[in-house]
Amino acid sequence: MVNTENKPGTSIRFRFVRVIAIVLAIGTVLLSVIIGTYEKKALRESLREDGQSLAHFIAKLGKEALVAQDTVILDSIAHDAHKEDIAYTLVYDIQGNLLTSQYASLNYRSPIINNILATLPREIDLPEIINHLKRKRHILEISSPVVVDITHVGNVVVGMSEHVIRRQILTTILFIVAVNLSVISVLGGVLFSVSRKILFDPISALSESTTQLARGDLSVRVNIPASGELKTLLANFNHMVADLKKAEDDRIKLEEQLRHSQKLESVGRLAGGVAHDFNNKLTVILGYAELAGRIQADNPNLAGYLREIARAAEHSRDITAQLLAFSRQQIASPKPVAINQIIMEAGKSLPRLIGEDITFNFVPGEGLWIVKIDPVQLDQIIINLAVNARDAMPDGGAFSITTANVSIDRLSYLLKNPDARHGDYVEIVFSDSGTGMDQEVMKHIFEPFYTTKGVGKGTGLGLATIYGIVTQNNGFISVDSKPGLGTVFRIYLPTHSGGYIVEVPQAEQNQTGRGVVLLVEDEEMVRQMTGHMLEEMGYVVKEAATPREAIQIASNPQTPLDVVLTDVVMPEMNGAQLMRIIHGKRPELQVLYMSGYTSDLIARKGIIQDGVNFIQKPFDMKTLNDKLSQAIKLQGGGFPGSDQAKLLK
Amino acid sequence: MPIAARYRFIAVTCFLSLIIAGEARAEKKIGAFLFSSETRYEVAYRGFRDQLAEEGFKEPGTTFSLYNANGNKATASELVNKLAAAKMDLYFTAGTSASVALSRAIKDMPIVFSVVYDPVKAGIADSWENSGNNTTGTSTRVPMTKIMEALKKLKNVKKLAVLYSPGELNSEQLVRDLKDVQQEFGFKVLPVPLTKIEEFPAILPEVMRTSDAVYVTGSNLVDSQIGYIVEQARKNRVVTLTHLEDLVEKGVLFCVSIDTYQIGRLAGAKAARILRGAKPSSIRIESPPTYSIHLNVKTATMSQIPIPPEFMAIVRKKIQ
């Protein structure tokens, strides 16, 4: 939980003021105590001196009256001596008799006298009042002898009231407090004002900004003058928020891309599912069209119709193939290739494809690393991007392909491209000077059936296919484009550490074959059509509608078999499982898998594993024959089952 | 009667008549000095003039110049100097302060004082019989025993406070007189010295709380606060007494006093003797022989002080 609000009294401003106030209050108290103690001592001493002077003066002034026992004069002297800090003045004769009267002796203007008298009974006499005062009140009593010549004739006693001291100390303390308060007010005001400018305002602004930040506002910035560490802090905060904003923007962008990828993934899965059934049906259509064409070759009209059927079916197959390619489920047989060589080969036919008003330029990178990819897929990429470039440059322009080795190791690059991974790649850059794209278009270009071309001019699968192929081959793709500034596609394909094989083109073969084929296919129409094809080509066919039936056939050692042609996805068990059982009994038996789409059963992410024979549905007789022939050759360099085939035939 | 004897008789008679007429007709200047406008001073001055007039010393043959200091000491000092310079034939004073001041300033001309409580203790005269200087006069002094006897008839007092002003000799002497009789009458005198007005509110409540009766002396300061004194006494039901009749009219419960007018007349008689050639020192200082008791009935009522019949019997004047 984010604490976004300060409770009253918890702000640093308030606490600062409180601490200052407490420190000053303690300081004031200590100062008051220290000064009060010293002042009390000094005032007591001063009071004592005053008392002594007064007692001495009264003794001197009243000695004649004392000798004459004139109490009226003594009363007058005692009374006249009264000042505020005197509680009483007493004159005694040498015998200790008190000569002054109560009202003359007591200073009724002293608050302590009136206070104490109010509590005493009216009958109480002066000596008792004096004793009471000395017991209850702070009285400093000073005595001075009355001496006439050298004769001691009596004593003057002066009672000094310490309440004056207390009041003086209180006044001093009040003065200290007042001065301190004034100083505190002035200094505190200045300190607070200065602190507010250099400390509190930046901290408050920072606090408010962090609150806004905690609430998710990444646009917040602290724009307040500061200096020293606070300046650095605020600058770092702003920088941090800017980084957060950038990271947040990147995250949003990545999420967008992730959603886009997931969307493509789901579309791909849907396409894969559709393609399975669709290719089975196309296999039957194409197969029978081809077979029918063989039979009715002499009827030109019928042959034409059959060719149209075949063309339509082939076109449908291509669409399915592209869908599969986009969904990374196209059956591919990657091999180590030299990219430059393939581009160069493909480049020969590109001028025809893109037209004469577009100049094509290929800049091959030197020492280019080897890449493992199905060359057919690479051709698809080149052709699709060339066609796109052409369509983007209706009035001509330039189209170029460059290749280079790159090592992806920068985090920033990886963050921008969610598909990217660390590693070494061959970069193939396709640049055109065409119309370019805006951001909205770029968001959708890899979606299947998304096209900006006119109706009938594009399937909307070109870039989706490229995307599928690249990701199927563990690569990734990026696009840079702006309206009017052309488009650059960068395709990154991971390098292959091994060498590559230069393929020798095979001699044209007849569409005839020999051998016994165990055909395993749960789709009856496909099975029947394939059986017809095989027989038409000269093969002996043993059909099995289910894997169980196939096992039964293969289990009989008397049954001659050269190769197993089996569907991959079947009820009960898949093709691979079937072959493990059959190989348990007849390990020498070769197998050719056929499937309308790939699955992890025989391929991982659509890539056929090395040593696996596979034929993509739908297929024509020639391809089927080629694949079967290769498989049978692998079994023993000839047609080991030919005798049995003949027998069966 | 033979003619010669007849002419001689006529001549002598005429001569004597001329002497008497000349004496009466001779212009006399009398300067009167009052310290303040206290009633008793003015009453005394009136008695003085009336007596002189009866004895033939009246305007226009005799001129009177009245100087009143209105209670101000500085003014008093100024007036004293003025009077000394004026060279009067005779000076009249009322009140101890005025008398002391003038007697100290003028030594060569006769001074007749009045309303002085104790001229000897005040330092004006050497003795009551013979002043020993240029002064003589009359006193307000009532024998203290007379006052205390009256008080005893009114209330049995144990503590008697005396409001006085230190420095005012008249006031101080009264305290001594009271102390002299305290043992005889069985009470204790509590002198209350008062020198400043602000002392009254500080001390009087406590005085009233602790005393049975309060004696009000005739000092100028005490006179100025008589209203407050009366108020506190009434509030605390305390008996107040004095020897000055004008203070009873201002609220003091009772007084045993000499008629101030008679004091003035007696002073006038002494002045006439001096004007006729007598030496002041040869004229005895004295008080009129009659005393009277005045009671302030209003104060008695307000203080709820019961007045015994034996006291009422001796009261000469009731002030409502």
Side-chain angles (χ1 to χ4, degrees):
Chain A
M1 194 172 126
V2 178
N3 181 18
T4 57
E5 287 181 10
N6 284 326
K7 290 177 184 172
T10 59
S11 74
I12 192 166
R13 215 178 280 227
F14 177 82
R15 283 190 287 174
F16 178 81
V17 172
R18 192 173 58 189
V19 166
I20 294 284
I22 289 170
V23 168
L24 289 173
I26 292 169
T28 303
V29 169
L30 286 175
L31 195 63
S32 301
V33 168
I34 293 166
I35 291 179
T37 306
Y38 278 100
E39 188 168 5
K40 187 180 178 184
K41 199 175 171 185
L43 285 173
R44 267 182 73 89
E45 193 52 41
S46 171
L47 194 68
R48 182 184 298 282
E49 285 173 7
D50 285 352
Q52 281 172 344
S53 299
L54 185 70
H56 185 68
F57 177 73
I58 292 171
K60 191 176 176 185
L61 201 65
K63 59 185 177 185
E64 286 174 9
L66 182 59
V67 171
Q69 293 281 301
D70 188 341
T71 56
V72 175
I73 297 296
L74 290 175
D75 274 350
S76 296
I77 294 169
H79 175 265
D80 286 347
H82 287 166
K83 290 191 297 179
E84 195 186 356
D85 53 353
I86 295 168
Y88 52 84
T89 45
L90 310 170
V91 181
Y92 294 91
D93 63 16
I94 196 65
Q95 285 79 33
N97 298 315
L98 181 58
L99 301 180
T100 45
S101 68
Q102 176 179 324
Y103 296 113
S105 299
L106 297 177
N107 181 9
Y108 284 84
R109 282 182 291 162
S110 171
I112 64 160
I113 296 296
N114 281 311
N115 290 344
I116 199 83
L117 287 174
T119 64
L120 298 174
R122 67 192 289 273
E123 294 78 19
I124 194 166
D125 62 8
L126 183 57
E128 285 179 281
I129 293 171
I130 299 299
N131 285 336
H132 205 79
L133 268 173
K134 287 200 278 192
R135 277 201 307 274
K136 295 281 183 185
R137 302 288 167 169
H138 296 277
I139 297 290
L140 186 64
E141 200 174 78
I142 294 116
S143 177
S144 178
V146 182
V147 179
V148 178
D149 296 329
I150 54 168
T151 310
H152 183 189
V153 294
N155 289 298
V156 173
V157 175
V158 176
M160 306 296 285
S161 169
E162 289 189 351
H163 85 276
V164 179
I165 294 178
R166 291 207 301 276
R167 200 173 62 186
Q168 186 72 35
I169 290 168
L170 188 66
T171 307
T172 304
I173 288 170
L174 286 175
F175 177 74
I176 292 167
V177 170
V179 167
N180 274 18
L181 279 177
S182 306
V183 171
I184 287 165
S185 303
V186 174
L187 281 183
V190 172
L191 189 64
F192 189 77
S193 176
V194 172
S195 303
R196 194 179 67 178
K197 201 169 180 183
I198 65 170
L199 190 66
F200 298 142
D201 283 353
I203 289 176
S204 290
L206 186 61
S207 173
E208 283 167 20
S209 299
T210 53
T211 303
Q212 280 181 265
L213 182 64
R215 286 175 178 154
D217 182 3
L218 292 174
S219 65
V220 64
R221 295 289 184 278
V222 187
N223 295 315
I224 192 163
S227 57
E229 291 90 337
L230 273 172
K231 187 179 179 182
T232 310
L233 179 65
L234 298 188
N236 286 344
F237 174 80
N238 285 340
H239 190 67
M240 191 178 73
V241 176
D243 283 352
L244 272 175
K245 176 84 170 66
K246 191 167 175 294
E248 180 65 12
D249 290 345
D250 288 347
R251 188 184 66 79
I252 291 168
K253 195 174 170 186
L254 282 173
E255 277 183 1
E256 185 68 25
Q257 288 177 343
L258 181 64
R259 271 198 297 278
H260 190 58
S261 298
Q262 286 170 339
K263 196 171 165 185
L264 292 179
E265 185 77 30
S266 60
V267 170
R269 275 199 296 275
L270 178 67
V274 170
H276 174 243
D277 290 337
F278 202 59
N279 275 346
N280 272 343
K281 301 296 182 262
L282 286 176
T283 304
V284 174
I285 293 167
L286 265 177
Y288 280 123
E290 192 175 8
L291 286 170
R294 280 172 166 256
I295 296 165
Q296 296 298 334
D298 52 338
N299 185 332
N301 286 336
L302 189 58
Y305 297 154
L306 288 169
R307 275 198 301 278
E308 286 304 311
I309 290 170
R311 276 182 61 191
E314 281 167 358
H315 189 62
S316 299
R317 180 194 61 189
D318 290 344
I319 291 171
T320 312
Q322 290 203 49
L323 267 174
L324 286 171
F326 152 72
S327 61
R328 289 163 288 164
Q329 292 178 91
Q330 187 184 36
I331 307 302
S333 299
K335 55 191 74 174
V337 294
I339 296 284
N340 284 344
Q341 193 181 339
I342 291 175
I343 295 173
M344 225 171 286
E345 285 296 321
K348 289 176 184 171
S349 59
L350 279 183
R352 281 198 304 279
L353 185 69
I354 60 179
E356 291 178 353
D357 53 348
I358 294 171
T359 56
F360 170 66
N361 185 30
F362 173 49
V363 183
E366 286 185 9
L368 207 63
W369 291 324
I370 301 299
V371 169
K372 194 175 182 187
I373 189 170
D374 190 331
V376 176
Q377 289 184 321
L378 192 55
D379 282 344
Q380 279 181 301
I381 291 170
I382 295 165
I383 288 164
N384 273 324
L385 285 176
V387 168
N388 270 8
R390 179 199 66 196
D391 293 343
M393 296 181 286
D395 300 325
F399 175 61
S400 70
I401 303 175
T402 59
T403 56
N405 294 331
V406 293
S407 293
I408 304 295
D409 53 5
R410 281 184 300 139
L411 184 63
S412 57
Y413 192 87
L414 295 171
L415 281 171
K416 281 182 187 170
N417 295 274
D419 296 330
R421 300 286 182 274
H422 282 289
D424 296 331
Y425 293 84
V426 168
E427 181 190 49
I428 313 167
V429 183
F430 300 83
S431 310
D432 68 53
S433 58
T435 51
M437 294 174 283
D438 60 26
Q439 288 290 321
E440 189 57 33
V441 172
M442 283 171 69
K443 280 183 184 175
H444 301 288
I445 54 169
F446 293 119
E447 291 177 15
F449 307 114
Y450 178 82
T451 179
T452 56
K453 299 171 186 173
V455 177
K457 287 189 177 174
T459 58
L461 288 170
L463 286 173
T465 302
I466 292 167
Y467 181 83
I469 290 169
V470 172
T471 50
Q472 189 180 28
N473 285 280
N474 296 321
F476 59 93
I477 185 167
S478 75
V479 192
D480 282 330
S481 182
K482 280 186 180 171
L485 296 175
T487 304
V488 177
F489 285 93
R490 289 185 175 83
I491 290 169
Y492 298 87
L493 296 169
T495 57
H496 176 66
S497 54
Y500 72 99
I501 302 156
V502 179
E503 287 199 340
V504 180
Q506 289 186 344
E508 191 74 19
Q509 288 183 342
N510 292 330
Q511 291 180 23
T512 57
R514 285 185 299 167
V516 182
V517 180
L518 174 54
L519 174 62
V520 190
E521 172 62 63
D522 60 317
E523 281 282 334
E524 187 180 357
M525 288 175 73
V526 178
R527 188 177 69 247
Q528 283 179 359
M529 188 281 298
T530 308
H532 288 315
M533 271 190 169
L534 291 169
E535 285 171 353
E536 182 66 22
M537 288 186 291
Y539 292 98
V540 176
V541 180
K542 299 274 183 195
E543 289 186 19
T546 65
R548 198 177 301 276
E549 202 177 324
I551 292 164
Q552 202 175 350
I553 293 167
S555 298
N556 185 358
Q558 299 302 316
T559 305
L561 289 174
D562 293 313
V563 65
V564 180
L565 176 63
T566 178
D567 192 11
V568 177
V569 182
M570 292 181 292
E572 297 177 6
M573 66 179 75
N574 61 49
Q577 288 170 324
L578 170 67
M579 286 315 297
R580 276 201 289 276
I581 294 168
I582 289 175
H583 278 143
K585 301 176 187 301
R586 302 174 75 159
E588 79 288 353
L589 210 52
Q590 289 296 312
V591 60
L592 175 62
Y593 295 104
M594 55 180 176
S595 183
Y597 81 116
T598 182
S599 79
D600 287 346
L601 300 171
I602 54 166
R604 186 165 296 159
K605 291 169 74 179
I607 304 296
I608 299 294
Q609 303 299 300
D610 290 341
V612 175
N613 296 315
F614 177 78
I615 185 167
Q616 169 82 48
K617 287 179 184 175
F619 44 75
D620 56 25
M621 286 173 66
K622 180 181 177 300
T623 310
L624 179 62
N625 188 39
D626 289 349
K627 294 279 183 182
L628 273 175
S629 299
Q630 282 176 22
I632 291 167
K633 276 182 190 169
L634 286 172
Q635 191 183 33
F639 295 95
S642 59
D643 292 343
Q644 290 87 333
K646 280 177 188 172
L647 286 171
L648 285 169
K649 201 174 184 179
Chain B
M1 182 181 287
I3 292 174
R6 240 178 105 184
Y7 281 123
R8 201 166 41 246
F9 173 76
I10 292 168
V12 170
T13 305
C14 288
F15 178 73
L16 286 173
S17 299
L18 277 173
I19 290 174
I20 294 165
E23 189 185 12
R25 282 196 306 271
E27 196 173 298
K28 297 290 182 188
K29 291 192 289 182
I30 296 174
F33 178 44
L34 309 184
F35 187 77
S36 66
S37 298
E38 290 296 326
T39 311
R40 57 180 177 274
Y41 300 153
E42 288 176 352
V43 168
Y45 179 57
R46 186 155 45 82
F48 173 76
R49 284 196 60 173
D50 288 351
Q51 182 64 36
L52 277 178
E54 278 182 18
E55 299 205 22
F57 296 97
K58 59 183 178 184
E59 290 174 331
T62 305
T63 58
F64 293 88
S65 302
L66 176 63
Y67 295 82
N68 191 331
N70 290 315
N72 188 303
K73 285 185 178 174
T75 309
S77 174
E78 207 174 301
L79 291 178
V80 164
N81 293 333
K82 212 170 188 177
L83 280 162
K87 295 290 178 189
M88 300 287 180
D89 294 305
L90 185 139
Y91 294 92
F92 169 80
T93 62
T96 309
S97 298
S99 304
V100 168
L102 203 66
S103 66
R104 283 179 185 169
I106 299 170
K107 300 288 184 187
D108 54 348
M109 297 303 287
I111 297 170
V112 178
F113 56 81
S114 68
V115 203
V116 174
Y117 182 76
D118 188 339
V120 177
K121 295 288 183 186
I124 300 169
D126 294 340
S127 71
W128 288 79
E129 285 74 28
N130 186 340
S131 67
N133 53 31
N134 57 330
T135 67
T136 187
T138 55
S139 167
T140 55
R141 188 173 187 177
V142 179
M144 198 50 78
T145 50
K146 297 279 182 192
I147 301 172
M148 292 304 115
E149 280 166 4
L151 176 62
K152 204 168 184 180
K153 283 188 170 71
L154 180 67
K155 189 178 180 181
N156 185 22
V157 171
K158 294 290 178 195
K159 286 186 176 179
L160 175 66
V162 193
L163 308 186
Y164 78 108
S165 295
E168 287 204 21
L169 303 173
N170 194 0
S171 187
E172 286 179 350
Q173 183 53 40
L174 206 143
V175 177
R176 292 190 188 96
D177 289 349
L178 276 169
K179 283 190 172 181
D180 288 344
V181 298
Q182 64 180 349
Q183 205 168 355
E184 181 187 343
F185 286 90
F187 59 80
K188 186 180 180 187
V189 172
L190 300 172
V192 183
L194 294 159
T195 49
K196 295 184 185 75
I197 289 174
E198 56 266 30
E199 288 174 346
F200 284 78
I203 198 167
L204 270 193
E206 181 62 16
V207 170
M208 296 299 177
R209 188 178 79 87
T210 54
S211 307
D212 302 317
V214 172
Y215 195 105
V216 184
T217 65
S219 81
N220 291 307
L221 183 68
V222 171
D223 282 1
S224 73
Q225 295 300 308
I226 193 68
Y228 180 71
I229 296 165
V230 168
E231 181 198 328
Q232 286 294 317
R234 285 173 178 173
K235 203 164 123 185
N236 291 276
R237 300 179 184 180
V238 172
V239 169
T240 47
L241 63 152
T242 181
H243 60 282
L244 301 167
E245 58 186 2
D246 59 325
L247 294 185
V248 178
E249 288 173 4
K250 291 176 181 173
V252 173
L253 183 64
F254 79 95
C255 71
V256 179
S257 65
I258 299 165
D259 187 344
T260 313
Y261 181 73
Q262 294 303 323
I263 290 172
R265 285 195 81 111
L266 185 59
K270 293 180 189 298
R273 286 175 65 191
I274 293 166
L275 288 173
R276 289 191 188 103
K279 274 189 171 182
S281 58
S282 64
I283 303 170
R284 180 185 165 80
I285 300 164
E286 59 189 349
S287 303
T290 53
Y291 314 109
S292 64
I293 297 174
H294 299 184
L295 174 71
N296 190 315
V297 179
K298 188 181 175 187
T299 298
T301 309
M302 289 181 75
S303 309
Q304 298 177 338
I305 296 170
I307 309 295
E310 59 267 32
F311 184 83
M312 282 303 288
I314 58 170
V315 170
R316 183 74 55 83
K317 188 178 177 184
K318 293 176 189 170
I319 295 159
Q320 296 299 327

